Structure formats: structure tokens, C-alpha cells
Amino acid sequence: MKTLDRYLLRETVAPLGAGLGLFLFVLLADKLVDMLDLVFNRGVEASVVLRLLVCFLPSVIAISLPMAALLAAVLAFGRLTHDRELMAMKGAGLSLVRLAVPLAGLGIACSIVLVVFNGTILPAATTEYKRILLTIVRQRASVAFKERVFIREFDRYLLYFQKKVGTTGDLEDVTIVETPATAGTPPRIILARQGALRVDPRGFRVTLELRDGLMDQPADMEGEHYTRIEFQSYAVNLDIHDALKGNQIFVKGLDELNYADLFRRIRELRNVRDMRRDYEIALHQKIALAFAPLFVILIGAPLGSLARRGGGIGVLVSLFVIFVYYILLTTGQGLAQKGTLPPWVGMWAPNLFLAVAGVLAFAVASHEARWIRWGR
């Protein structure tokens, strides 16, 4: 590797790391607040929440790396332009395309890493994320359900029971006050001789199965008139999303599949087009998103070279480009899911947009069009 290439890589790698850290912090900020809530307000062990955060991190890295690559290229070439180093390099007969070669190598390296990352680490982390989350669900259910204590862990429900039988989750003499979703409606009171606590690992719900009981539904807030219903069995779904605030968004099952799983499902469903489509979208999305850093880092080089004073507007333009890219990616996914576009078209069209934008950016920068030289 030539000295010039090493120099350009050093100028790019540092802002790449800083940009990745910045975008990770921004995208994780809201999740960090929710995680702290689990520790301080929900009684979940800090070590468990830390593992949950680590498993959530790969999904954010897959999104942040393309943005960080674009920002790094813009800042690196913007700095070279500001210090007149780029002008000196051009004066030595080096074209902008030649100067972008080490960045292309860095982009290829990032893309190869992401291809492997999206097909191995990300699915495994997603599966572990859901497993840890289920552990928290069970922990919260176990901790919350204590004898002769009013339980307020679940929104809309106030629970109380006299006795918990062994470790089976069976309850005796259960009382539930259900607050209605509609304001002004009186609460419903549910009494049961027995109850059983069940955890649903797929729906992330805690279900309280009641037996031999009755429900009183007051007709007004004064409670002077009410309707009483007796039952032999009745199930109350205590949605764990309310007990674990901040974890309402769960990763789809397709994100847990690696490349081998996706290829196998596509082969198995080769004659069932509608069912096969989702797996094809997931496969092309993993690979297409992995190649985004290669395209965006090549856009950043000409954008940075067009900046005169550090590339402030160049950074804004680069962020706009990546914003358009993710809009196109979301749109392409939606059209592919509807069958309007083939899955590979919907997922790879945003990369084609980046490629065209990169060619135009190089053309403008090579001709040094004065009308777009911002920051004078």
C-alpha cells in the first residue's frame, strides 16, 4: 500500500469510528432510557438489562454503519479541501477518482464485514434478545405476584390474592379490579376461588386463568346498580408490554434467520409465491443493506471535495442523501411485500440510486462546477 493511500485511510477511519459512535448513541438514546427504567423502576437486574442492550446493539450497527461511512468520507475530503491538500494532490496529477481508491477499498471491507454480520451475528443476537426478554417477563411475573400484596405492575389491572400454591403458579382467592379503557366507565371487579399464572413465550403475555368465580360490572360510578356474571373459567390477558415499558417493539421472526435458513425456506416455498416473497425480501435486504457503505463512501469523497470551509453544507447534503436512501429502502420493501416489485428490485433499487448519485457527484467534482461550490 502506498503512503498516500495509507494517509487517506487514516484521514477516513478516525471520523468513521467517531461517526459510528455518534449515530449509535443517537439511535440508542431512547432505548437507553427504557433500559434504565427496567433497572430502577421495574426491578430487573442490571446484568440482565445490559445483556439485553448488547443483543439489541447489532440491529443498530447495521443501520448506523452506512451513515457513518458517508459522514467519514465527507469530513475527510472536506478537511483535505480546507487545508489545500487536495489541491496539491490534484496539482501533482492525481485525479479525484484515484484519490477515492483507498476509500473504495475501505467501503468494500465494510460491506464484506456487514454481509457476514447481517447473516450470522445479527440473527443470533436477535434470537438472544427475545430469549432474554422472555427471561425478564418470567422474572417480572415471579417477582410481582406476591401473596396478600396489591399488584400494580400491569396497566388497567389491580390484582390481589390470598395464597400462592408452590411453584406451579396456582393462586387462591383472587381479586382483580379492571379499569376500563374508556374514561367515565366504572371499573369491573372479578373474584375467583382459583387462578393459574401462565407465561406465553411467543406472545410475550402473562395470562391469568381464573376458575370458579364471578364478575361485577357496575352500571354507574356510584356502584348502586351492577350486573353479576358467574363463570367456571375465565382468562385475563395481562399484556407484558405494559409491564415492560420501552420494549413494545419486538424484532420480526425473519430477522432471526441466517442465510442458510432463508435459502432453505425459499426452496421449500418455491411453488408458493406469496409466502416465499417475505423470505426473498429478507434475504435481499440483508445483502443490499450490507453494500450500502461501499456506495455512500464513494459519494462522500466528491461531496467533501466540493466544500471550501470544512464541508458544513456537505455534511447536510450527505445526511439528506442517506435519508433519501432509507426512504427508498422502506418504499421498496413495501412495494415488494405487495407484489408490485420483485423482491430483488425493491431492495437493490436504493443502492442503484446511490450509485447514480455517486457518478453524478464525481462528474460535478471532476469538472469543478462553480455553481455548486458551497462555503466560499
Side-chain angles (χ1 to χ4, degrees), residues 81-218:
T81 302
H82 179 262
D83 293 345
R84 308 295 182 180
E85 293 182 38
L86 188 61
M87 182 182 297
M89 294 176 187
K90 289 183 177 180
L94 298 173
S95 66
L96 185 61
V97 174
R98 167 61 186 87
L99 296 175
V101 168
L103 270 70
L106 179 61
I108 292 173
C110 291
S111 294
I112 292 175
V113 169
L114 266 189
V115 167
V116 178
F117 182 87
N118 290 348
T120 56
I121 297 177
L122 182 57
T126 300
T127 301
E128 184 66 9
Y129 178 87
K130 296 180 74 173
R131 190 193 67 78
I132 296 173
L133 193 58
L134 178 59
T135 300
I136 296 177
V137 170
R138 288 172 173 163
Q139 182 187 58
R140 294 304 304 138
S142 176
V143 172
F145 282 75
K146 296 180 179 180
E147 298 177 355
R148 295 182 294 277
V149 174
F150 286 100
I151 302 165
R152 299 179 173 85
E153 291 294 319
F154 303 93
D155 290 357
R156 295 183 55 219
Y157 293 102
L158 177 64
L159 289 79
Y160 181 90
F161 62 92
Q162 285 290 335
K163 185 178 181 181
K164 188 174 183 179
V165 181
T167 59
T168 61
D170 292 338
L171 314 175
E172 294 183 358
D173 296 328
V174 182
T175 301
I176 301 177
V177 180
E178 179 183 357
T179 303
T182 306
T185 303
R188 180 169 56 177
I189 301 174
I190 305 174
L191 304 173
R193 291 186 181 275
Q194 293 181 324
L197 190 62
R198 301 288 184 262
V199 177
D200 176 14
R202 300 189 64 184
F204 291 92
R205 282 191 175 90
V206 173
T207 301
L208 190 56
E209 298 176 355
L210 303 176
R211 295 183 296 274
D212 190 14
L214 55 87
M215 288 184 289
D216 289 340
Q217 178 62 65

Side-chain angles (χ1 to χ4, degrees), residues 24 28 30 44 51 57 61 73 95 103 105 131 134 137 181 204 210 219 233 254 268 273 278 305 328 337 339 355 362:
L24 286 177
L28 284 175
D30 184 60
V44 181
R51 287 163 50 207
L57 190 61
I61 292 177
S95 66
L103 270 70
R131 190 193 67 78
L134 178 59
V137 170
F204 291 92
L210 303 176
S233 63
L254 287 174
E268 293 172 351
R273 183 177 180 181
D278 288 339
S305 70
L328 292 175
Q337 288 174 339
F362 269 104

Side-chain angles (χ1 to χ4, degrees), residues 8-9 12-13 16 72 101-111 293-294 297:
L8 292 173
L9 284 177
T12 308
V13 169
L16 176 63
V101 168
L103 270 70
L106 179 61
I108 292 173
C110 291
S111 294
L294 171 61
I297 204 169

Side-chain angles (χ1 to χ4, degrees), residues 4 12 18 26 33 41 51 59 81 110-111 132 159 162 212 214 219 245 259 270 279-281 299 303 306 319 356:
L4 177 62
T12 308
V26 171
V33 173
N41 299 326
R51 287 163 50 207
S59 63
T81 302
C110 291
S111 294
I132 296 173
L159 289 79
Q162 285 290 335
D212 190 14
L214 55 87
K245 294 184 182 299
Y259 293 131
R270 57 182 177 274
Y279 295 96
E280 291 177 337
I281 292 172
I299 294 177
L303 285 178
L306 291 169
L319 293 177
V356 172

